[in-house]
Amino acid sequence: MAGNESDGRLAEEFFTPGNSSFTDFLAAHRPALLPTRRPFPDGVTAADGQFPHGTTVLALTYGDGVLIAGDRRATMGNVIAQRDLEKVHPADDYTAVAFAGTVGLAVDMVKLYQVELTHFEKIEGIPMTLNAKATRLAGLIRQNLGQAMQGLAVVPLLVGYDPTAPEGAKGRIFTFDVVGGTYEKPDFHAEGSGSPYARGALKKLYRRDMSRRDAALTALQALYDAADDDSATGGPDINRRIFPIVSIITENGFERLPEPETEALTREMVAHRQNQPDGPTVSPAATT
């Protein structure tokens, strides 16, 4: 944001006491920079199929923490708008967010949310609690209500590692509706057009005591099932070597699984599906 352009000094608002919310600062001094501002006049709605939409994202807790994953496809009506979209992003060291919905708004909202958490920590000297992070994200979604009602909704999925939670429950999952309602989900959840099929797969495969490897395979199986029944969800693209994004958060912080690891697990899953097209009926962890 520009300050006093004539002498290169920061404008007065940068030195005015306020709260620790960067979003509130923007709203007061540079509201046009907020991605949640209303894009169309009243009564105008976005035409269906004219804006890229992200599709399926999911999360699940496991023995060491929480995993979050997403397919890579963005669609625009019946057209594939992008094959390698990144829908899973770290929000800070112990929190991650994934999104379904209008891609352009979602990417801007994620960037603003990342700055919001960093700004709070710099002002207050401590990081937000995980509950407070969920509340802040709900506020951003609520600010986007006008755009959502015009057909440009963003549906995020928030996960984090909470060191204050009881042992075995430190990985937490939060979901939201378009008016900013916040809901904590135990064990697993999915959002986006392929989410009913992903949740169905997770329901049969999920086990709380899974290892990291089994958790990643379960997420990949669920995304594969979503792509199998939902045309907007992208399956693994072996030829182009485009695979789902899988990330975890543990006591050591956020980690995106390396591409070779994700590729190896995906190829293992696809090879297994050649003999069992509908996938496994029970989690590998349940048979050991």
Side-chain angles (χ1 to χ4, degrees), residues 12 14 27 79 83 119 125 153-154 156 170 210 224-225 266 275:
E12 181 179 349
F14 286 92
V79 175
R83 300 178 187 275
H119 182 77
V154 176
K170 296 184 182 297
M210 287 188 293
Y224 193 100
D225 278 353
T266 301
N275 297 320

Side-chain angles (χ1 to χ4, degrees), residues 62-66 92-96 128-130 133 158-174 248-254:
Y62 71 105
D64 293 334
V66 62
D92 62 14
D93 290 343
Y94 290 94
T95 318
M128 284 188 197
T129 65
L130 188 52
K133 293 174 186 178
L158 179 71
V159 303
Y161 184 86
D162 186 355
T164 67
E167 196 64 37
K170 296 184 182 297
R172 299 173 66 189
I173 302 169
F174 295 89
I248 61 169
I249 308 176
T250 66
E251 63 180 354
N252 297 319
F254 174 90

Side-chain angles (χ1 to χ4, degrees), residues 41-72:
D42 289 340
V44 178
T45 57
D48 289 340
Q50 297 302 306
F51 299 92
H53 276 68
T55 47
T56 307
V57 294
L58 59 84
L60 58 95
T61 61
Y62 71 105
D64 293 334
V66 62
L67 178 149
I68 187 166
D71 79 312
R72 306 294 296 275

Side-chain angles (χ1 to χ4, degrees), residues 1 13-14 19 21-36 108 111-112 115-116 119 140 143:
M1 294 188 301
E13 57 261 29
F14 286 92
N19 63 30
S21 171
F22 184 73
T23 303
D24 289 350
F25 178 78
L26 278 184
H29 301 291
R30 298 291 190 276
L33 295 179
L34 285 171
T36 52
D108 282 350
K111 290 178 180 178
L112 179 59
V115 174
E116 179 83 354
H119 182 77
L140 290 180
Q143 290 177 15

Side-chain angles (χ1 to χ4, degrees), residues 11-261:
E12 181 179 349
E13 57 261 29
F14 286 92
F15 302 97
T16 302
N19 63 30
S20 55
S21 171
F22 184 73
T23 303
D24 289 350
F25 178 78
L26 278 184
H29 301 291
R30 298 291 190 276
L33 295 179
L34 285 171
T36 52
R37 65 188 184 278
R38 182 181 289 262
F40 306 125
D42 289 340
V44 178
T45 57
D48 289 340
Q50 297 302 306
F51 299 92
H53 276 68
T55 47
T56 307
V57 294
L58 59 84
L60 58 95
T61 61
Y62 71 105
D64 293 334
V66 62
L67 178 149
I68 187 166
D71 79 312
R72 306 294 296 275
R73 178 175 292 177
T75 59
M76 196 161 59
N78 64 336
V79 175
I80 297 176
Q82 188 172 347
R83 300 178 187 275
D84 59 352
L85 178 65
E86 298 206 6
K87 304 174 188 176
V88 179
H89 302 267
D92 62 14
D93 290 343
Y94 290 94
T95 318
V97 61
F99 65 82
T102 308
V103 171
L105 291 178
V107 170
D108 282 350
M109 188 182 291
V110 169
K111 290 178 180 178
L112 179 59
Y113 184 59
Q114 291 168 331
V115 174
E116 179 83 354
L117 298 188
T118 301
H119 182 77
F120 177 93
E121 188 167 349
K122 287 182 177 180
I123 296 298
E124 300 294 336
I126 57 172
M128 284 188 197
T129 65
L130 188 52
N131 285 339
K133 293 174 186 178
T135 300
R136 284 292 174 93
L137 184 53
L140 290 180
I141 298 167
R142 195 170 296 115
Q143 290 177 15
N144 192 57
L145 179 59
Q147 292 171 309
M149 298 304 291
Q150 292 177 312
L152 301 175
V154 176
V155 185
L157 185 60
L158 179 71
V159 303
Y161 184 86
D162 186 355
T164 67
E167 196 64 37
K170 296 184 182 297
R172 299 173 66 189
I173 302 169
F174 295 89
T175 67
F176 308 85
D177 59 32
V178 294
V179 297
T182 307
Y183 314 94
E184 184 166 0
K185 299 292 185 178
D187 301 335
F188 60 83
H189 193 68
E191 291 286 0
S193 61
S195 60
Y197 313 108
R199 286 198 295 268
L202 290 170
K203 186 179 293 187
K204 68 180 180 180
L205 298 177
Y206 177 78
R207 297 293 182 275
R208 290 185 178 180
D209 58 350
M210 287 188 293
S211 65
R212 163 176 152 158
R213 183 180 188 279
D214 284 341
L217 270 174
T218 296
L220 292 171
Q221 295 278 12
L223 289 172
Y224 193 100
D225 278 353
D228 198 33
D229 286 300
D230 173 45
S231 61
T233 302
D237 192 331
I238 301 295
N239 293 331
R240 294 184 178 89
R241 298 188 66 187
I242 299 174
F243 305 98
I245 293 175
V246 181
S247 298
I248 61 169
I249 308 176
T250 66
E251 63 180 354
N252 297 319
F254 174 90
E255 178 189 355
R256 175 170 167 171
L257 266 61
E259 190 77 12
E261 182 177 355

